[in-house]
Each structure stands twice: as structure tokens, then as C-alpha cells.
Amino acid sequence: MAALVKADLDRVLATVDSDLDSSIERLFAFLRIPSISTDRAYAVECRRAGQWLADDLASLGLTAKLNDTAGHPIVTGTSSGTAARRVMFYGHYDVQPVDPLDLWDSPPFEPRIVENAEGVKRIVARGSSDDKGQVMTFVEACRAYIRTTGSLPVEVAIIVEGEEESGSANIGPFLEAHKDELKADLALVCDTGMWDAQTPAIILSLRGLMHDEFIVRGADRDLHSGYYGGAAANPLHVISKIIGGIHGPDGRITIPGFYDGVVEPPDHVKHSWSTLDLTAENFLGPVGLSAPIGEKDRLLIEMVSTRPTFEVNGLWGGYIGEGAKTVIPSIATAKITCRLVADQDPAHVRDVVRAYIRSKLPADCTVEFLSGEGNRAVAVAHDNPLLAKAAAALGDEWGAPAVTYGEGGSIPVVGQFKKVLGQDTLLVGFALDDDRIHSPNEKYDLTSFHKGIRSWVRILAALAE
Amino acid sequence: MAALVKADLDRVLATVDSDLDSSIERLFAFLRIPSISTDRAYAVECRRAGQWLADDLASLGLTAKLNDTAGHPIVTGTSSGTAARRVMFYGHYDVQPVDPLDLWDSPPFEPRIVENAEGVKRIVARGSSDDKGQVMTFVEACRAYIRTTGSLPVEVAIIVEGEEESGSANIGPFLEAHKDELKADLALVCDTGMWDAQTPAIILSLRGLMHDEFIVRGADRDLHSGYYGGAAANPLHVISKIIGGIHGPDGRITIPGFYDGVVEPPDHVKHSWSTLDLTAENFLGPVGLSAPIGEKDRLLIEMVSTRPTFEVNGLWGGYIGEGAKTVIPSIATAKITCRLVADQDPAHVRDVVRAYIRSKLPADCTVEFLSGEGNRAVAVAHDNPLLAKAAAALGDEWGAPAVTYGEGGSIPVVGQFKKVLGQDTLLVGFALDDDRIHSPNEKYDLTSFHKGIRSWVRILAALAE
């Protein structure tokens, strides 16, 4: 059985290589559709992108559908063979807006291959990396398998939404409504990056998120700072004192109960961190920083992946125009997000944060909270045997072992795969840090695309065993 | 001599009373001119208001001039009699803009007398209180004196500018250029208020001001709070910690050197504070507050007049639109003002504030300062004999002793009277807290106008002795 799959594998990889030009042509056709989901003017283009993908999946022999939702449609494509194992694949066909257009070197929806000074070939277009190019690595892998062997080594349920860049409002209800047909042994997501251009990566965990907004109120109107200054409570002073006290001198968050549910990863995972070359110099240096400000007794990789955070994302109050205005403002507002890890409960974190803020208010101030929603962290079980298979397959393709680590960001839909469908998710992607996703001149290296397809071929083969 | 002045005084006061209707007519003519100084579209109206006033001063027999400046002209009117003492009077003929116009119950430049439910008559118009109505109390007092006795009991130099509401950029150079002709024994300013509707007030001191703006910078771009959160310095946290630490738990400002130059007023002044009925309830209550936040060992009147302050007037950074955005901003900005008292030097205060802020910066943050200008506090010498005379005159008119105290705000021109002309200033005004200056439906009580004129008649008589 293993030998048979291995022989198949080599033939399928050869198909990928020989078919690369037509794979690129298909990706270019997909990229030419300006499926900007946040802008209602592009609604018809979003549907057209979804339809293009559904047609392409149907051409593979999958049962493909364009499913209507309250927003943009969701594409599904399912195989109906007899393989013992089934995977679900998730991606999105919508893209970010392209403003400012004048910073693009070529029109964002006219994809082209550009060779840089070092001879590296890059596909330049909006969506080339995020996420049409990554989605097509998986689709092309399936196509190569089917074209070469007549079937897939595992059954697949592909689900590609059109609202990832505009809030993913409809994917949750859709998963709920279709959980029987979507359920699989493992979810695969191709929306993340490589560790570096030579080293593949599997994201083992994503931090959760709790976001909140709070308004501190003082006097019932803005006051003259000469007349009232020295006597009247200033909400900007109050909010500063609250925020200024949240991080202790050791970098720990001082809010009582904040760390409830945070757990230490197993020793072998901690040990693996020592192999990661993540330093202040190479991580913070490129953005002009040098000194990690997290808990003093933690590694940098912990600070940004397995430890929770409290971050102020926006703060304002009083006069923010040009020149001076002698005002004591009546309100001050802060937007905050907490990144959550392990078993931290967003509702509990919201409650302890709010209790802390309330406890710090002086007599004449009140506080109002506006949000407080969130989602838990998600993690692949460290001992999931499919994880090891996928890591080995990636290592075979890239000639370097796959790095496995937690990522600091949040992808809420992955939490829903666990909650609604009960399945772990493997996050494997081929983007690079310099892909300029969400920015002008977004690109996807031709190597990311080509070896990305080959990687999925190997992973599908490995998961079949 | 004293008896003669007393007989004159009664006759002059009778003239004020019998002439009130025509005094109101003149004020209305002045109020009808929309002399909004900040709006260039009204430049010709500002000149018209200045010309109207110059003509009116000339009609009194004063040497009146409309003096051109780089901005709006400055009106001067000087007497040339033989009185032993001379006073300078300062006011302004320009007014604030009238937006939002739809909140006015009647057109702002069509003055009218409105009687409220309690039978109190009020002159309603933009500028009625700030400052045309107050300026005309002094002009009408001079008119009544001249009409009744043929001369003034003291010589006067009246100076009325047209840029008080738009920065007073040209008054300083003008004082400098005309100091010989303007020099007097005392400056009088009519741009402040009564203690309450029954109690006149003399403002003994004004706080100075130092304003600054500082920008804290972290990374060289906004960062994703998932990817970098926990490791990258957040300028909003840094600025909050700095501001949050400036006021100690005892209400004192913790910046080393901040209180240099602050002195205690003499005991008899401190003692007089006990007669002022200034409580948290009547001072803070009307704006929805109840608990003074100043130094715990100080009276409320001290907090707002003889003690310095550090106030944040505006603060912002990061995402301040609707919804959430998971960003670690690269910059945070604060606008601050410090109110200064006694001998505090604005440049020294700027330096110690900046040194404090720099001392609190973590490794990865820098700070830039944008302003740092200011002016010293000003005060009438507590033992100036003219002060006692003016206070007694006010007491005679209102039947209640004049309250003397320091005001928390700043009027930079008063500092220039001291610096350029070497003269003390007496701030006497008849505005009330509910005059809605700078707001729709600005008004000036008819009593403020009538008894204001009578008050100046008495003060002029008293200063002659």
C-alpha cells in the first residue's frame, strides 16, 4: 500500500511540474476577477469569482455548488470516492480593496509574472498571496491527483468563502447548517506563511481574542482648563492611569484573574523553541524595534504565541486638531484587544478586565463598555498523528523540517471548525513575510505556488496512509 | 476736594440713569456690526466696528484713532486734561463666530432686550457680554462724566483691539511701539465677571500657561497586534504610563522641579478665602462633578487659582473609527497645558516636564516635542493702594463688598501690560456665569450694563482721590 502510494506520488508530482503553465493560467483567470468583498459595488464580481471557482471544482469531478448566503456566496466542492480518510479544506476567494491605487506598479487585477533583481519570479496581483494563490495550490494538487490517478487519496470537502476580508459573518451559520456534509478527520487551511523562504511551517495554535471599548466620563460637558483645572477630574488622566497600571514592571498583566486558563505547553514543545531562530534582532529589527516588552522571564516566541496580551489599539479624548485648546474633556475612549491562549475564556477575561477598570475609577468618573466579544484560542492537539504525517510530507518537499509553532494572531473560523465540526485544523501556507498582503503590489512567489501545489500533493498522500 | 468730587459723583450718576436709553441705543449700534475676527470674510466688518468705536470716542472729545496693524486695526482714545492720575483701559471689539446659527432664538447681530420669566431684562446679541457690552460700560461712564462736569476726574488712555478672539497677535508689538503714549498708573480691564449677580469682584491674579505637545513613537509602522502583540512596545501604553504617573495619590504633581517658583499668598489673603462661599457643591455641582481632585491639603479656591496644574487637553493614537482594528500604533500624541502661578517660569516648567517625560521612555520609544510656549502668571500687588479704592467704590455701588480673588485662566495681554508698560492691572467686569459667551444666545443683563456704567463712574472718582 505504502509503495503503491509512493509510485502514485512521483507520477502526480511530475504532472504538477508539467502542468505548471496551465495552473498559472487558471490562477490568472481567478485573479482577474476583482472580488473586493467590503465594497458593495463589487458584489457581482464576488459572485463571479465564486462561480468561477465552483465551475473549476466541477471540472475536477467534484460535486460543486455556489451556496447563497445573506452576503457573498460560499463555494463548496466535495468528492465522493471511497478513501478511508476525509479532509476539509478552507480558504477564501474575496480580496482586500486596492487603495491607494497609484502605489501599484501595475494594475492590481492584471496579474503578471515579474522577475526581481535576484532572478526570483513573482506573481503580482491583488489576491495572489491572500488568498486566491494559496487556495489554488490545494485545488491544483487535487487536479494533478485526479488527472494522474483518476481519484484522490483522501476524500475532500472544499469550502471557500467570500467574506473573510469583511468579517466572515455567514460562514458560522453555514457550517452549522451543513455540518454533516462537511465533517472530516481534519481541517486544512492555506492562509498562513512559511517560516522563511526555505523553511515550511505548520501553525499549531492561534491565539484567541477579546475586544472591548470603554468610555470614561467626567463632567457633563467639556470644561475650561483655566477655570476648572486643578479641581475637576480629567477623564484623560483617569484613563491613562488605568492603562498605565495594567502592565507591571516585570511585564506581567496586573489584572486579577487575567491569567486564569493559561497553561504551559509540554516540555517537548518548549524544547523545540530553542531550534527557532527567533531573536529580537530578526523579529523586531525590521520594524525599527529592539527590546521585547513582554514578561521578563519568557522567550520572545512565548510572548507572541503562547502568552496572552492586553493591547490598546486606539485611544482618544479632548482636542486633537491643530494648535492648542485649553479644555478638560468630558470623555475619553479606549479600544482594547486581549489575545487569549490555551483555555482562557473570553467572557471571563472581559469580566476581569471590566472589574479592574471599574475598581480604578475615581469618585467623579463613570465607565461604559461597548463591546466585549471574543473567541477562544485554538490549537491542534500536540499528539495528533496526522500532524506528524503532514510535517514529514512538508519536510520531504522543502528539504528542511517543517517548523511547528503557535501564531499570535486569530482566525476565528478555525475556532468554529473545532466548536461546530469537532475537528482539529492544520494551518499550512506558503506565503512569505514580504508578500505585501493588504498592500499595494501584493505578490506570491512562483516558488510558493509551484512547491505549494507539490506540498499539498505530498500531504494528501501522507494523510492517506 | 473730596466733597467736591462727591457732589460731582452724584450728578454724574444721575446722568448715567437719565441717559440709559441712549446708552443702550449706542451699544445696539455697536452690536449690529458682525465683527467676527477669526473669519477673514468679516474683515471689513471688523474695521467698521473699530471705526464706529473710534468715532464714538472722538465724539467725547478724546483724541481717537483707528491704528492699522498687520491684522485688524486697534482703536485708541486718549484724554488730554490736567488730572494728576492716568488710567489705561483695555477691551476688545471683535466677537466669536456665531455657529451653530440655528440654536439662536433671534439673529445674533440684531440685539434686543428680552425679559425672562423672573422679570430680568437681558440684552441678547453676539458680543453683548464679550466684550462690546463691557467695553461700553467704561465708555459710557466717561461720557457721563464729560457731559456732566466737562472733564474726566483722571486722564484715560483707552485701547480696544480687534483680535482678542483670534490670538491677539498684534497687540504686543503695538504696546511696544506706543508705550510712551499708553503708560498709566494702572491698567483697567473689563472682560471678567461678577462673583455672583449681587457681588462685584476684582480679579487679583491670573494664572500663566505653558502649552506643549508631544509625540511618542515606537515601531516605524503600525503593527498587527496578533503578530507583534506581547513583544512590541505600544506607544499608547507608554504615553498612558507617563501621564498616569504625573499626579500622585495626594494630588500633587510628581515632576521634579515643577513647583519651583510657587509661593504662598500672604496670610490676610488666605484668610479672606474663608469668606468665599466656594464649595465643591456650588462650583463642581453644576457640571456634574462632586469631588475636587487637586492636592488633598488645599482649599478648592487654591486648586483653581493659586496652585499650578498639569492638564492633558487632548490625547490620541491608533484606530479611532468605528468597530475594532487590531493594531499596535506606531505613534501616540498628547497636548498638554500647565497653569502657572506666582513666579513659575514657563521655560523652566517646559524643561522639567520634558525631562520627566524623557526619563520615563522605554528603550524602543522616542519622543518629539512640538510647542513649549507660555506666559507667566500675573498679579496685582496685594498692597497697591488703588486696589483698595476700586474695591470700596464697587462696594458702594452694589451694596456688597467686592470679592477679591485669583482667577484660574490666563489673559496673556495682562502680562504684557506688566512687562511692556510696567503697570499693574485691575480686572473688573460685570458678566455673569450664565451669559453664554462664545455660545448661542449670548446675553448681558441690563443690570450688568447699567450698574456697570455706574461702577466705573465710582471707580474713576475713587481713583482721582
Side-chain angles (χ1 to χ4, degrees):
Chain A
M1 169 76 173
L4 185 62
V5 170
K6 174 76 175 82
D8 279 355
L9 177 60
D10 290 338
R11 288 198 301 133
V12 176
L13 291 173
T15 301
V16 170
D17 296 346
S18 62
D19 205 29
L20 183 61
D21 284 348
S22 59
S23 295
I24 293 171
E25 271 173 43
R26 281 184 290 272
L27 173 58
F28 275 26
F30 196 20
L31 290 172
R32 282 190 196 101
I33 309 171
S35 48
I36 302 169
S37 60
T38 54
D39 189 338
R40 291 182 58 168
Y42 290 87
V44 69
E45 300 292 349
C46 288
R47 172 168 283 273
R48 199 154 70 86
Q51 188 65 57
W52 183 93
L53 184 61
D55 291 347
D56 195 52
L57 297 182
S59 79
L60 298 184
L62 302 183
T63 304
K65 264 176 76 177
L66 191 65
N67 303 271
D68 283 321
T69 72
H72 301 303
I74 292 170
V75 180
T76 51
T78 50
S79 64
S80 46
T82 55
R85 194 161 278 152
R86 190 182 198 219
V87 296
M88 190 185 96
F89 176 88
Y90 165 88
H92 62 93
Y93 66 77
D94 63 321
V95 300
Q96 280 273 320
V98 295
D99 300 326
L101 195 56
D102 59 344
L103 293 185
W104 286 80
D105 295 333
S106 57
F109 296 108
E110 295 179 17
R112 61 192 64 198
I113 291 178
V114 175
E115 197 169 323
N116 76 359
E118 290 82 42
V120 178
K121 288 183 177 165
R122 295 161 156 188
I123 301 163
V124 177
R126 169 59 85 231
S128 56
S129 177
D130 181 20
D131 186 39
K132 286 173 176 170
Q134 304 239 56
V135 165
M136 291 308 286
T137 58
F138 187 82
V139 173
E140 293 296 333
C142 292
R143 189 188 320 275
Y145 242 112
I146 291 166
R147 189 164 290 180
T148 310
T149 70
S151 68
L152 289 164
V154 295
E155 300 308 317
V156 300
I158 295 174
I159 174 165
V160 181
E161 71 159 315
E163 300 182 298
E164 200 271 348
E165 304 290 5
S166 58
S168 290
N170 293 296
I171 188 77
F174 184 84
L175 292 176
E176 196 72 60
H178 296 80
K179 54 184 163 188
D180 292 336
E181 64 196 272
L182 294 173
K183 213 166 157 31
D185 298 296
L186 186 69
L188 305 172
V189 172
C190 191
D191 201 11
T192 52
M194 304 270 288
W195 179 257
D196 59 36
Q198 288 78 42
T199 317
I202 298 178
I203 306 300
L204 292 180
S205 62
L206 293 163
R207 291 196 281 197
L209 186 76
M210 191 285 292
H211 64 95
D212 210 349
E213 180 167 338
F214 65 99
I215 303 176
V216 173
R217 293 197 165 82
D220 60 14
R221 70 204 73 175
D222 285 358
L223 301 177
H224 188 276
S225 73
Y227 193 63
Y228 289 96
N234 183 330
L236 282 173
H237 298 186
V238 172
I239 210 166
S240 294
K241 215 178 252 296
I242 291 170
I243 293 166
I246 280 176
H247 293 89
D250 55 358
R252 264 181 83 86
I253 292 159
T254 60
I255 299 169
F258 187 83
Y259 287 94
D260 293 351
V262 177
V263 296
E264 296 294 325
D267 281 347
H268 75 274
V269 173
K270 284 190 161 190
H271 180 72
S272 74
W273 288 334
S274 60
T275 66
L276 294 177
D277 181 33
L278 191 76
T279 63
E281 191 177 359
N282 66 25
F283 183 70
L284 294 176
V287 297
L289 299 176
S290 64
I293 48 73
E295 296 157 274
K296 293 213 185 301
D297 56 346
R298 297 285 173 177
L299 299 173
L300 183 51
I301 185 68
E302 293 179 275
M303 294 177 187
V304 296
S305 65
T306 61
R307 301 297 296 175
T309 70
F310 179 102
E311 210 74 56
V312 181
N313 308 114
L315 178 64
W316 71 101
Y319 179 68
I320 64 177
E322 256 195 74
K325 191 172 175 186
T326 51
V327 68
I328 299 176
S330 62
I331 69 171
T333 307
K335 289 177 189 281
I336 62 150
T337 49
C338 297
R339 298 284 165 173
L340 311 181
V341 302
D343 298 324
Q344 278 184 300
D345 173 16
H348 176 70
V349 170
R350 176 197 64 209
D351 292 347
V352 299
V353 166
R354 290 181 173 186
Y356 176 87
I357 291 169
R358 287 199 183 92
S359 76
K360 301 292 177 187
L361 284 181
D364 270 342
C365 288
T366 59
V367 65
E368 180 188 0
F369 296 95
L370 297 186
S371 176
E373 283 128 49
N375 53 276
R376 284 174 175 268
V378 289
V380 181
H382 291 293
D383 54 358
N384 187 322
L386 299 181
L387 169 60
K389 289 178 197 280
L394 279 170
D396 288 346
E397 175 59 27
W398 294 86
V403 166
T404 56
Y405 67 106
E407 198 169 88
S410 308
I411 306 180
V413 73
V414 174
Q416 292 175 312
F417 296 159
K418 184 75 180 185
K419 193 170 150 196
V420 178
L421 304 173
Q423 64 208 33
D424 272 355
T425 298
L426 219 56
L427 293 121
V428 177
F430 310 99
L432 295 177
D433 287 347
D434 66 353
D435 276 0
R436 293 186 291 272
I437 66 167
H438 296 204
S439 296
N441 302 316
E442 177 177 351
K443 63 89 179 164
Y444 196 48
D445 280 13
L446 192 58
T447 301
S448 292
F449 186 57
H450 183 192
K451 289 177 74 72
I453 301 170
R454 290 176 54 98
S455 296
W456 283 121
V457 166
R458 289 184 190 273
I459 292 172
L460 290 174
L463 294 178
E465 286 181 19
Chain B
M1 166 81 172
L4 184 64
V5 172
K6 174 73 176 84
D8 280 353
L9 177 60
D10 290 339
R11 289 196 300 131
V12 177
L13 291 172
T15 302
V16 171
D17 296 345
S18 63
D19 205 28
L20 183 62
D21 284 349
S22 58
S23 295
I24 293 171
E25 272 173 41
R26 282 184 290 270
L27 173 58
F28 275 27
F30 196 18
L31 290 172
R32 282 191 195 101
I33 308 170
S35 47
I36 301 168
S37 60
T38 53
D39 189 339
R40 293 181 58 166
Y42 289 87
V44 68
E45 300 292 349
C46 288
R47 172 167 283 272
R48 201 154 70 86
Q51 188 64 60
W52 182 94
L53 184 61
D55 291 347
D56 195 52
L57 296 182
S59 78
L60 299 183
L62 302 182
T63 304
K65 265 177 77 178
L66 191 65
N67 303 272
D68 284 319
T69 72
H72 302 304
I74 293 171
V75 179
T76 51
T78 51
S79 64
S80 48
T82 56
R85 193 160 279 148
R86 191 181 197 219
V87 298
M88 189 187 97
F89 176 87
Y90 165 89
H92 62 94
Y93 67 76
D94 63 321
V95 300
Q96 280 274 319
V98 295
D99 302 326
L101 196 56
D102 59 345
L103 293 185
W104 286 80
D105 294 334
S106 57
F109 297 108
E110 294 178 16
R112 59 193 64 199
I113 292 178
V114 175
E115 197 169 325
N116 77 357
E118 290 81 41
V120 177
K121 288 183 176 163
R122 295 162 155 189
I123 301 162
V124 177
R126 169 58 85 231
S128 56
S129 177
D130 180 22
D131 183 40
K132 287 173 176 169
Q134 303 239 58
V135 165
M136 291 307 286
T137 59
F138 187 81
V139 173
E140 293 295 333
C142 292
R143 189 187 321 275
Y145 240 112
I146 291 167
R147 189 165 291 179
T148 310
T149 70
S151 69
L152 290 163
V154 295
E155 301 308 315
V156 300
I158 295 174
I159 174 164
V160 181
E161 71 160 314
E163 301 182 297
E164 199 271 349
E165 304 291 5
S166 57
S168 290
N170 294 294
I171 189 76
F174 185 85
L175 293 176
E176 197 71 60
H178 297 78
K179 54 184 163 190
D180 292 335
E181 64 196 91
L182 295 172
K183 211 165 160 32
D185 298 295
L186 186 70
L188 305 172
V189 172
C190 191
D191 200 11
T192 53
M194 304 269 290
W195 178 257
D196 58 37
Q198 288 77 43
T199 317
I202 298 178
I203 305 302
L204 293 180
S205 62
L206 294 162
R207 290 197 280 197
L209 187 75
M210 192 285 291
H211 64 94
D212 210 348
E213 180 167 337
F214 65 99
I215 303 176
V216 173
R217 293 197 164 82
D220 60 15
R221 68 203 75 172
D222 286 359
L223 302 176
H224 188 278
S225 75
Y227 192 63
Y228 289 96
N234 183 329
L236 282 173
H237 298 186
V238 172
I239 209 165
S240 294
K241 212 176 254 295
I242 291 170
I243 294 166
I246 280 175
H247 293 89
D250 56 357
R252 264 182 84 86
I253 292 160
T254 60
I255 298 169
F258 186 84
Y259 288 94
D260 293 350
V262 177
V263 296
E264 295 294 324
D267 281 347
H268 75 273
V269 172
K270 284 191 161 187
H271 180 74
S272 73
W273 288 335
S274 60
T275 66
L276 294 176
D277 181 33
L278 191 76
T279 64
E281 191 175 0
N282 65 25
F283 182 71
L284 294 176
V287 296
L289 299 175
S290 65
I293 48 74
E295 295 156 275
K296 291 211 187 304
D297 56 345
R298 297 284 172 178
L299 298 173
L300 183 50
I301 185 69
E302 293 179 275
M303 294 177 188
V304 296
S305 66
T306 61
R307 300 298 295 174
T309 70
F310 178 101
E311 210 75 56
V312 181
N313 307 115
L315 178 65
W316 71 101
Y319 180 69
I320 65 178
E322 257 195 74
K325 190 171 174 185
T326 50
V327 68
I328 300 176
S330 62
I331 69 171
T333 307
K335 287 177 190 283
I336 62 149
T337 49
C338 297
R339 298 285 166 174
L340 311 181
V341 301
D343 298 324
Q344 278 185 299
D345 173 17
H348 175 70
V349 170
R350 175 198 64 209
D351 292 345
V352 299
V353 166
R354 290 181 174 187
Y356 176 87
I357 291 169
R358 288 199 183 93
S359 77
K360 300 293 177 187
L361 284 182
D364 269 341
C365 288
T366 59
V367 65
E368 179 187 2
F369 296 95
L370 296 187
S371 177
E373 281 128 49
N375 53 276
R376 285 173 174 270
V378 289
V380 181
H382 292 295
D383 53 358
N384 187 323
L386 299 182
L387 169 59
K389 290 178 196 279
L394 278 169
D396 288 346
E397 175 60 27
W398 294 86
V403 165
T404 56
Y405 66 105
E407 200 169 86
S410 308
I411 306 182
V413 74
V414 174
Q416 293 176 311
F417 296 159
K418 185 75 180 184
K419 192 170 152 195
V420 178
L421 304 173
Q423 63 208 33
D424 272 356
T425 299
L426 219 58
L427 294 120
V428 177
F430 310 99
L432 295 176
D433 287 347
D434 66 353
D435 275 1
R436 292 186 291 273
I437 66 167
H438 297 202
S439 297
N441 301 316
E442 177 178 350
K443 63 88 179 165
Y444 196 48
D445 279 14
L446 193 56
T447 301
S448 293
F449 186 57
H450 183 192
K451 288 175 78 68
I453 301 169
R454 291 175 55 96
S455 296
W456 284 121
V457 166
R458 291 183 189 273
I459 291 171
L460 290 174
L463 294 178
E465 287 182 16

